[in-house]
Amino acid sequence: MSRTHQCGKLTTAHIGETVTLNGWVQTRRDLGGVMFIDFRDRSGIVQIVFNPSFSGDALAIADKVRSEYVLTVTGEVVLRDKETVNANLPTGEIEVRITEIEVLNAAKTPPFFIEDGVEVDESLRLKYRYLDLRRPEMQKTLMLRSKATKIFRDFLDDEGFIDVETPILTKSSPEGARDYLVPSRVHAGEFFALPQSPQIYKQLLMVGGIERYYQIARCFRDEDLRSDRQPEFTQVDIETSFIDRDTLLNMMEQLMVRLFKETVGAELPTPFQRISHADAMSKYGSDKPDLRFGLELVELSDIVANSGAKVFASVIGNGGQVKCLNAKGCGTWSRKDIDELGTYASRYGAKGLAWVQVKDGEFKGPIVKFLSEDEIIAIKERTGAEDGDLLLFSADNSKIVADVLGALRLKIGRQLGLINDKEFKFVWVLDFPLLSYDDDQKRYIAEHHPFTRPKDEDLELFDTDPLKMRAEAYDIVLNGYEVGGGSMRIFKREIQEKMFNALGLSPEDAYDKFGYLLDAFEYGTPPHGGIAFGLDRLIMLLAGRTNLRETIAFPKTASATDLLMDAPSPVENIQLEQLHIKLSKKPGEEKKA
Amino acid sequence: MSRTHQCGKLTTAHIGETVTLNGWVQTRRDLGGVMFIDFRDRSGIVQIVFNPSFSGDALAIADKVRSEYVLTVTGEVVLRDKETVNANLPTGEIEVRITEIEVLNAAKTPPFFIEDGVEVDESLRLKYRYLDLRRPEMQKTLMLRSKATKIFRDFLDDEGFIDVETPILTKSSPEGARDYLVPSRVHAGEFFALPQSPQIYKQLLMVGGIERYYQIARCFRDEDLRSDRQPEFTQVDIETSFIDRDTLLNMMEQLMVRLFKETVGAELPTPFQRISHADAMSKYGSDKPDLRFGLELVELSDIVANSGAKVFASVIGNGGQVKCLNAKGCGTWSRKDIDELGTYASRYGAKGLAWVQVKDGEFKGPIVKFLSEDEIIAIKERTGAEDGDLLLFSADNSKIVADVLGALRLKIGRQLGLINDKEFKFVWVLDFPLLSYDDDQKRYIAEHHPFTRPKDEDLELFDTDPLKMRAEAYDIVLNGYEVGGGSMRIFKREIQEKMFNALGLSPEDAYDKFGYLLDAFEYGTPPHGGIAFGLDRLIMLLAGRTNLRETIAFPKTASATDLLMDAPSPVENIQLEQLHIKLSKKPGEEKKA
């Protein structure tokens, strides 16, 4: 008996038809010898009924089934009695009167209910992932993911992109995060590395004249995990030749428009807002600002540079800055509420949180007495402070000011209900710094990666002020999450050499590590650039979830373990011998320590 | 100046238009101050012309460019003079009169010509893969691959399959080929393994109610490589629940029909032929028979069981067999030709090659004198031997007879021109043996894998004659290549336990290694089965190539090295320390030995 229909797709249009269904028993109820089963497949649930008057032998079999039994059933679709219609179920107007049943497999009582919103410890869900995946919300998310990747592919295919697979067994990359390594059996003492991204390969495909490339690519980073990171993750990897930045960004906007329309029915307005990295940091204290609401940071350094408030003046004297956030309407918050804001701010590096309440046209608060009348007037004007407002000040170096006020902005925005949960607000952040200075390594490091092209007008700064250089790099930010990023790439050998030099690599080391790329640039490399979208995170936002693991069929825990398969795990000695390696610690030794 | 058209797409329809092209200089010819450049992009080549009468300053720049320079050019499309039309070029009727040029990048002379059919050592091509990829045949193959995967996806999406990504960092599997291992930094002494296939995960997705799954999945096997193997390879991985074998095979036939039609325009007749494994071995001496031609093996064991030809009779007495191949029309081959066949046969294990020429209705050859008249008549009748034929005999155990005559069949089929190179001949090979006996390990091993379902009617043979058991397993064979294979899976715990028992695993070992699967079978696992297509090999056949590496953008050599990136390679000691491993051999020690 093979399936004729899916459970969740049955409607009143099927009344009178005899259908065969395959699926799982959700629940079974015995009402005085009549058996009702909520019967489930991937598409949803339908009620099937066993009654002595039409089910014959099937009734006795139905009596023995339990939740999660796998059945094939055949019967007629009928209209339910008015009083038994279930308005909460898409198929609630009908039921199926079963005449034939086959038990395909039995089931023990599962360790948790197969239903949405169930409160189960995540580690139990991961150990029994094959049961967790039966829950409708997991199935919907995986279907959404499949659909979304299909839309990515269709769009890119339409635009002439070629899907090219690049190696997973590749070379350890000297810049970037920590690599996963794979010992070679054939070449003793040597290792492959799993790719952190297909960056070099996609650039070489551009050198190879592929012109437009994409790949939905698995990437790997052996980093300590946060809740929004996985050791292996998926990116939609895109690279093109002969294209300028704005043409690429416009094309990617159209991609997002199609994706959001065809998955969740959202109409995204275009063009997306574009903001420089410098402006994003200045106005929102973040390089991934959530622009679903305003609440911009206000620069006050010029006003309070010589203030009697020493906490302001001294910071500015030391090259720092003073900025303010006007928490509209929070002027009535209690001292306890404000203290809590201060505690929160300290997590982001604030040494204290100066504040002012506005009441009857006056500033109130501990620091007011140190401010001159002119300063108060200027601050009032610049912040638009009105009665009932609460001004929060941060005075520190620019990084801490941005971190503190950026975090407070998000917290207060949420608390004031300024954020529309249904809105998808995209913004491009442009012109990232090319380099930053790493205090530990005592050298410049690439903000994006070493292959990012500096802006033409900043090239001369390589020799004079590298930290001032801006990159042709861009991130695409959605509701405060970075969902993608990319850059135009260096395609001339001399500029790549200058970049390696700026990163502290000698010409010999640079050639040793990246010789194939430097060589490639000499054989007719076209101008090129690209972008990569973080698929897991994008799906998370599309699906309205908050946990990256919910978007992945078989995710790993925060300690990089697969609880279902129990991986990683010890291996046989013979396997290690063949790979020419020995353990320097025995399995478990780490854990005991 | 951004591209308005692709080079290879320009036709007489564009005459009079001003176009901007991006691409590479294929060749440059200076004919008395007029410059002709064959200008190339991904789509093909067009001739561009620089002439003092219309090119202005562009001429002087064009004078300096060389092969593989990257240019942007703008000019008018014009009809070529009749006498300069190039019929070998799709764009050969037109040329572009250039008025503007920009050199985007220069190029040194490449180490080999960027053109098809070039005779270059493959290792040089792999080292400079980014140049090799510019050759039109490489570009066409990668585009074909991209298109083919798109067709796979579209078809499977239409059929309700969900694209689900399964982990690359997974668990070492105790059955199967050698694993690539990945040491864990977080869990000292423990290892992930790269998947040989997503087999277990796709089965768990069926347990999880996904019902129809597919993935174009990267797989890994650390085996010694032959020319048609790569350490990482790609398979189109498919699994479904609630489906019987024939429904699945029919669906996959439709998939192949669409794939071959939309890529190479071939119309595949359906249904594909289906043949049991036993018949394939018996008639063609192969489990992946090339059915583009006949030349079937003929069983003679019954005829010569008591023959005076002791070489036949004694083999049969020892449980072996005698079979024959009638090489039609090869009766006139010289003794030297026949000796060469004997040498060839010995590579497949033949201890000798008995033969008979048919001439004037008579058998000629060294063994004829040992055959009785009745035997000769019976052989003649069964083989259809006629004047001019050559009969080749193999007498040995069934494996060697199949190997020898199967190989001779292919060799002679090719030599006689029986094979139509343009034909795509599919066949399903069904009912593989479930188990075989491994003499080294002294135990049964799974022919397909340990999760393959035995045929229902053979289940009782577990306890009596396991080697006689047939599996619900199938291969899809194209022109003598296995391009896919799969099976219906075991979905009941007790049968899986019997299977593990047959493979010599104690209940404790079985649970230790596959407990999560045995447990899963107890929570309502639906009947399921699937298939995987070897994408690399399928693309190779579609593209008419003979080398698997031609279908892969960045392949590895036969010694599993990436010549472009120089991987694998030694890593820093700090990396090994973090992974809690030490080398038991230094890099290079292996090579010197």
Side-chain angles (χ1 to χ4, degrees):
Chain A
M1 290 191 296
S2 51
R3 165 187 284 171
T4 61
H5 292 75
Q6 288 188 291
C7 297
K9 302 270 175 75
L10 290 175
T11 68
T12 51
H14 299 94
I15 286 169
E17 282 184 49
T18 295
V19 299
T20 295
L21 307 173
N22 300 137
W24 287 262
V25 174
Q26 179 76 22
T27 54
R28 191 189 63 105
R29 301 184 307 284
D30 182 345
L31 296 180
V34 180
M35 214 74 72
F36 294 90
I37 289 177
D38 278 351
F39 196 54
R40 188 190 72 232
D41 67 14
R42 204 178 81 182
S43 67
I45 284 178
V46 70
Q47 176 164 287
I48 62 177
V49 189
F50 299 78
N51 187 314
S53 70
F54 51 73
S55 295
D57 296 343
L59 182 65
I61 297 172
D63 190 41
K64 296 205 185 76
V65 310
R66 296 292 176 267
S67 286
E68 300 310 316
Y69 269 49
V70 188
L71 309 179
T72 292
V73 292
T74 298
E76 188 189 346
V77 180
V78 300
L79 198 64
R80 290 202 204 181
D81 294 336
K82 273 247 167 66
E83 57 273 26
T84 64
V85 164
N86 181 348
N88 296 322
L89 206 62
T91 62
E93 287 184 83
I94 53 105
E95 60 192 18
V96 187
R97 294 186 171 172
I98 301 306
T99 50
E100 287 179 69
I101 182 173
E102 187 184 348
V103 176
L104 299 174
N105 217 342
K108 293 197 301 192
T109 303
F112 49 84
F113 283 115
I114 310 298
E115 62 185 22
D116 284 349
V118 67
E119 289 284 333
V120 188
D121 183 58
E122 198 188 4
S123 63
L124 191 69
R125 288 176 49 203
L126 291 174
K127 179 169 161 57
Y128 292 95
R129 190 63 158 183
Y130 49 85
L131 296 178
D132 194 39
L133 289 175
R134 286 188 200 159
R135 295 190 307 115
E137 61 186 5
M138 287 305 299
Q139 299 222 330
K140 272 184 210 139
T141 305
L142 290 185
M143 285 191 241
L144 173 72
R145 186 179 176 116
S146 177
K147 185 168 186 182
T149 57
K150 189 72 173 39
I151 294 165
F152 267 110
R153 293 179 188 286
D154 288 348
F155 180 95
L156 293 165
D157 189 67
D158 289 348
E159 294 285 344
F161 285 79
I162 302 177
D163 179 4
V164 183
E165 295 179 72
T166 57
I168 297 286
L169 292 170
T170 178
K171 191 183 170 85
S172 185
S173 84
E175 293 280 322
R178 202 183 284 118
D179 286 316
Y180 278 104
L181 296 183
V182 182
S184 165
R185 178 178 56 86
V186 182
H187 306 280
E190 300 189 350
F191 293 79
F192 294 103
L194 306 183
Q196 296 181 25
S197 89
Q199 183 61 35
I200 301 266
Y201 284 113
K202 72 176 175 176
Q203 291 194 238
L204 291 173
L205 286 172
M206 294 304 104
V207 183
I210 295 300
E211 298 187 17
R212 292 190 165 191
Y213 143 91
Y214 90 94
Q215 182 183 200
I216 299 193
R218 204 71 62 86
C219 307
F220 306 84
R221 284 183 199 167
D222 187 9
E223 295 295 333
D224 294 320
L225 304 176
R226 306 194 305 255
S227 73
D228 66 341
R229 286 279 172 87
Q230 283 276 308
E232 55 181 307
F233 57 98
T234 303
Q235 68 187 36
V236 183
D237 197 47
I238 292 169
E239 193 82 3
T240 76
S241 297
F242 306 120
I243 199 167
D244 59 59
R245 185 194 74 182
D246 287 345
T247 308
L248 179 66
L249 301 195
N250 290 339
M251 191 192 287
M252 294 303 109
E253 289 185 6
Q254 290 310 313
L255 172 52
M256 288 299 107
V257 165
R258 182 159 160 190
L259 176 66
F260 277 69
K261 181 167 184 152
E262 295 184 9
T263 51
V264 295
E267 301 277 352
L268 302 181
T270 56
F272 295 169
Q273 194 171 331
R274 296 178 190 201
I275 185 174
S276 72
H277 177 268
D279 279 354
M281 295 307 294
S282 159
K283 287 187 184 169
Y284 306 103
S286 169
D287 59 0
K288 40 180 196 280
D290 187 340
L291 294 197
R292 287 176 295 178
F293 66 106
L295 212 62
E296 292 183 13
L297 280 50
V298 181
E299 173 67 71
L300 301 180
S301 302
D302 55 326
I303 297 176
V304 297
N306 302 305
S307 177
K310 290 293 162 227
V311 61
F312 292 165
S314 69
V315 158
I316 293 170
N318 290 324
Q321 59 178 205
V322 176
K323 297 179 83 167
C324 170
L325 193 68
N326 180 355
K328 300 295 291 182
C330 302
T332 56
W333 285 14
S334 70
R335 191 61 188 262
K336 184 161 160 274
D337 292 336
I338 296 175
D339 285 349
E340 270 173 21
L341 287 182
T343 310
Y344 188 78
S346 67
R347 282 197 236 159
Y348 295 86
K351 289 177 210 70
L353 182 68
W355 54 271
V356 156
Q357 287 170 318
V358 192
K359 210 170 182 178
D360 304 326
E362 304 270 305
F363 276 16
K364 312 268 178 193
I367 62 154
V368 177
K369 60 177 175 282
F370 303 112
L371 297 173
S372 73
E373 196 57 34
D374 283 352
E375 286 165 6
I376 289 176
I377 290 170
I379 292 171
K380 215 184 263 185
E381 192 188 321
R382 190 157 314 156
T383 60
E386 297 169 317
D387 276 7
D389 289 354
L390 173 69
L391 304 185
L392 301 167
F393 301 88
S394 177
D396 213 309
N397 66 48
S398 60
K399 182 180 178 316
I400 288 183
V401 168
D403 287 352
V404 166
L405 293 185
L408 285 174
R409 174 180 175 268
L410 286 176
K411 182 177 168 61
I412 290 167
R414 271 193 298 269
Q415 271 179 263
L416 294 181
L418 301 179
I419 299 175
N420 175 1
D421 278 339
K422 303 276 174 240
E423 187 181 358
F424 294 106
K425 180 70 180 177
F426 277 97
V427 56
W428 289 105
V429 180
L430 307 175
D431 301 345
F432 275 72
L434 184 71
L435 301 165
S436 59
Y437 191 78
D438 187 293
D439 288 323
D440 293 338
Q441 300 182 57
K442 304 222 177 306
R443 65 174 183 96
Y444 296 121
I445 56 169
E447 272 282 296
H448 189 58
H449 55 54
F451 317 110
T452 298
R453 196 191 306 168
K455 288 183 91 72
D456 284 344
E457 57 266 41
D458 293 354
L459 274 176
E460 60 197 18
L461 298 173
F462 261 135
D463 304 317
T464 55
D465 195 352
L467 282 182
K468 278 242 173 76
M469 295 182 79
R470 290 164 305 158
E472 285 288 8
Y474 32 82
D475 275 358
I476 182 165
V477 172
L478 168 59
N479 293 355
Y481 288 89
E482 180 209 326
V483 293
S487 64
M488 296 289 124
R489 324 297 185 191
I490 297 169
F491 66 105
K492 301 221 172 185
R493 179 168 183 152
E494 63 273 20
I495 296 178
Q496 190 65 66
E497 286 175 334
K498 280 200 165 192
M499 182 68 178
F500 287 142
N501 179 55
L503 298 174
L505 281 173
S506 71
E508 296 70 28
D509 281 354
Y511 193 80
D512 192 43
K513 289 171 174 167
F514 296 105
Y516 54 91
L517 189 67
L518 293 169
D519 286 345
F521 285 167
E522 293 205 291
Y523 288 109
T525 293
H528 60 286
I531 191 168
F533 291 92
L535 185 65
D536 308 305
R537 196 176 287 164
L538 200 49
I539 300 297
M540 183 183 84
L541 294 170
L542 265 177
R545 314 300 292 259
T546 53
N547 178 339
L548 216 55
R549 290 186 292 276
E550 305 281 297
T551 71
I552 298 169
F554 300 103
K556 297 202 171 48
T557 65
S559 65
T561 4
D562 180 332
L563 292 179
L564 169 58
M565 294 259 187
D566 188 24
S569 57
V571 298
E572 308 281 338
N573 277 329
I574 176 80
Q575 291 177 282
L576 301 182
E577 281 166 31
Q578 289 173 335
L579 298 175
H580 322 290
I581 58 173
K582 289 184 289 197
L583 301 185
S584 54
K585 271 190 189 150
K586 288 209 181 63
E589 212 173 305
E590 183 83 332
K591 287 168 189 163
K592 280 176 231 146
Chain B
M1 289 191 296
S2 51
R3 166 187 284 171
T4 60
H5 292 75
Q6 288 188 289
C7 298
K9 302 270 175 76
L10 290 175
T11 69
T12 50
H14 299 94
I15 285 168
E17 282 184 48
T18 296
V19 299
T20 295
L21 307 173
N22 299 137
W24 286 261
V25 173
Q26 178 76 21
T27 54
R28 193 190 61 106
R29 303 183 307 284
D30 181 346
L31 296 181
V34 181
M35 215 73 72
F36 294 89
I37 288 177
D38 278 350
F39 196 54
R40 188 191 72 233
D41 67 16
R42 204 177 81 180
S43 67
I45 284 177
V46 70
Q47 177 165 285
I48 62 177
V49 189
F50 299 80
N51 187 313
S53 70
F54 52 74
S55 294
D57 296 344
L59 183 64
I61 297 172
D63 190 39
K64 296 203 186 79
V65 310
R66 296 293 177 268
S67 286
E68 300 310 316
Y69 269 49
V70 188
L71 310 179
T72 292
V73 292
T74 298
E76 187 189 347
V77 180
V78 299
L79 198 65
R80 290 202 203 181
D81 295 336
K82 273 249 169 61
E83 57 273 25
T84 62
V85 164
N86 181 348
N88 296 323
L89 207 63
T91 62
E93 287 185 83
I94 53 104
E95 61 192 17
V96 187
R97 293 186 170 171
I98 301 305
T99 50
E100 287 179 68
I101 182 172
E102 186 186 348
V103 176
L104 299 174
N105 217 342
K108 294 198 300 193
T109 303
F112 50 84
F113 284 113
I114 309 298
E115 62 186 22
D116 284 348
V118 67
E119 289 284 334
V120 187
D121 183 59
E122 196 188 5
S123 62
L124 192 69
R125 288 177 49 204
L126 290 174
K127 180 170 160 58
Y128 292 95
R129 191 61 159 184
Y130 49 84
L131 297 177
D132 194 39
L133 289 176
R134 286 188 199 159
R135 296 191 304 117
E137 60 186 6
M138 287 305 299
Q139 299 222 329
K140 270 184 212 140
T141 305
L142 289 186
M143 284 192 243
L144 173 71
R145 185 178 176 117
S146 177
K147 185 170 185 179
T149 56
K150 190 71 174 40
I151 294 164
F152 267 109
R153 292 179 189 284
D154 288 348
F155 180 94
L156 292 165
D157 189 66
D158 290 348
E159 294 284 346
F161 286 79
I162 302 178
D163 179 5
V164 183
E165 295 180 72
T166 57
I168 297 286
L169 291 171
T170 178
K171 190 184 173 83
S172 185
S173 82
E175 292 281 320
R178 203 183 283 120
D179 286 317
Y180 279 104
L181 297 183
V182 182
S184 164
R185 176 178 57 86
V186 182
H187 305 280
E190 300 190 349
F191 293 78
F192 294 103
L194 306 184
Q196 296 181 26
S197 88
Q199 183 62 34
I200 302 266
Y201 284 114
K202 71 177 175 175
Q203 291 193 238
L204 290 174
L205 287 172
M206 295 304 105
V207 182
I210 295 300
E211 297 187 17
R212 293 191 164 190
Y213 143 91
Y214 90 95
Q215 182 183 201
I216 299 193
R218 204 71 63 83
C219 307
F220 305 84
R221 284 182 200 169
D222 187 10
E223 294 294 334
D224 295 320
L225 304 177
R226 306 193 305 254
S227 71
D228 67 341
R229 286 279 172 90
Q230 283 276 308
E232 55 181 305
F233 57 98
T234 303
Q235 67 186 38
V236 183
D237 197 46
I238 293 170
E239 193 82 5
T240 76
S241 297
F242 306 118
I243 201 169
D244 60 59
R245 185 194 74 182
D246 287 345
T247 308
L248 179 67
L249 301 194
N250 290 339
M251 191 192 288
M252 295 301 111
E253 288 186 6
Q254 291 310 315
L255 171 53
M256 289 298 107
V257 165
R258 182 158 159 192
L259 176 66
F260 277 69
K261 181 165 185 155
E262 294 184 10
T263 51
V264 297
E267 301 277 352
L268 302 181
T270 55
F272 295 169
Q273 195 171 330
R274 296 176 189 201
I275 186 174
S276 72
H277 178 268
D279 280 355
M281 294 308 293
S282 159
K283 288 188 183 169
Y284 305 104
S286 170
D287 59 1
K288 40 178 196 276
D290 187 341
L291 295 196
R292 286 175 297 178
F293 66 106
L295 213 59
E296 291 183 13
L297 281 48
V298 182
E299 174 66 70
L300 300 181
S301 301
D302 54 327
I303 297 175
V304 297
N306 302 305
S307 175
K310 291 291 164 227
V311 61
F312 291 165
S314 70
V315 158
I316 293 170
N318 290 324
Q321 60 178 201
V322 176
K323 297 178 83 167
C324 169
L325 192 68
N326 180 355
K328 298 296 291 182
C330 302
T332 56
W333 284 13
S334 70
R335 190 61 187 261
K336 183 161 160 278
D337 291 337
I338 296 174
D339 285 348
E340 271 174 18
L341 287 182
T343 309
Y344 187 77
S346 67
R347 281 197 237 159
Y348 294 86
K351 290 177 207 67
L353 183 68
W355 54 271
V356 156
Q357 288 170 319
V358 193
K359 209 170 180 177
D360 303 328
E362 303 271 308
F363 275 16
K364 312 268 179 193
I367 63 153
V368 177
K369 60 176 175 286
F370 302 112
L371 297 173
S372 72
E373 196 57 34
D374 284 352
E375 287 165 4
I376 289 175
I377 290 169
I379 292 172
K380 214 183 265 183
E381 192 188 318
R382 190 157 315 157
T383 61
E386 298 168 315
D387 277 6
D389 288 354
L390 173 69
L391 305 185
L392 302 167
F393 301 88
S394 177
D396 214 310
N397 65 48
S398 60
K399 182 182 180 315
I400 290 182
V401 168
D403 286 351
V404 166
L405 293 184
L408 285 173
R409 174 180 175 269
L410 285 177
K411 182 178 168 63
I412 289 166
R414 271 193 298 269
Q415 270 180 266
L416 295 180
L418 301 179
I419 298 175
N420 174 2
D421 279 338
K422 303 274 176 242
E423 187 181 358
F424 294 105
K425 180 70 180 177
F426 276 97
V427 56
W428 290 106
V429 181
L430 307 175
D431 300 344
F432 276 72
L434 183 71
L435 301 164
S436 60
Y437 190 79
D438 187 291
D439 287 325
D440 294 338
Q441 300 183 57
K442 301 218 180 308
R443 66 174 182 96
Y444 296 120
I445 56 170
E447 271 283 294
H448 189 58
H449 56 52
F451 316 109
T452 298
R453 195 192 307 169
K455 287 182 93 74
D456 284 343
E457 57 266 41
D458 293 354
L459 275 177
E460 60 197 16
L461 297 173
F462 261 135
D463 303 319
T464 55
D465 195 352
L467 281 181
K468 279 241 172 74
M469 294 181 80
R470 291 163 305 158
E472 286 288 9
Y474 31 83
D475 275 357
I476 182 165
V477 172
L478 168 59
N479 293 354
Y481 288 90
E482 180 210 326
V483 293
S487 63
M488 296 288 123
R489 324 298 182 190
I490 298 169
F491 66 104
K492 301 220 172 185
R493 181 168 181 151
E494 63 271 22
I495 297 178
Q496 189 64 66
E497 285 176 333
K498 279 200 166 192
M499 182 67 178
F500 287 143
N501 178 56
L503 298 175
L505 281 174
S506 71
E508 295 71 29
D509 282 355
Y511 193 80
D512 191 42
K513 289 172 174 167
F514 296 104
Y516 53 93
L517 189 68
L518 293 170
D519 286 345
F521 284 168
E522 294 204 289
Y523 288 109
T525 294
H528 60 285
I531 191 168
F533 291 93
L535 185 66
D536 307 306
R537 195 176 287 163
L538 199 50
I539 300 297
M540 182 183 88
L541 294 169
L542 265 177
R545 315 299 293 259
T546 53
N547 178 340
L548 215 56
R549 290 185 292 276
E550 305 281 296
T551 71
I552 297 170
F554 300 103
K556 299 205 168 47
T557 65
S559 65
T561 12
D562 179 332
L563 293 178
L564 170 58
M565 293 260 186
D566 187 25
S569 56
V571 297
E572 309 281 338
N573 276 329
I574 176 78
Q575 291 177 281
L576 301 182
E577 282 165 31
Q578 288 174 336
L579 299 174
H580 322 289
I581 58 173
K582 291 184 288 197
L583 301 184
S584 54
K585 271 190 188 149
K586 288 209 181 63
E589 215 174 302
E590 182 82 331
K591 286 167 186 163
K592 281 176 227 146

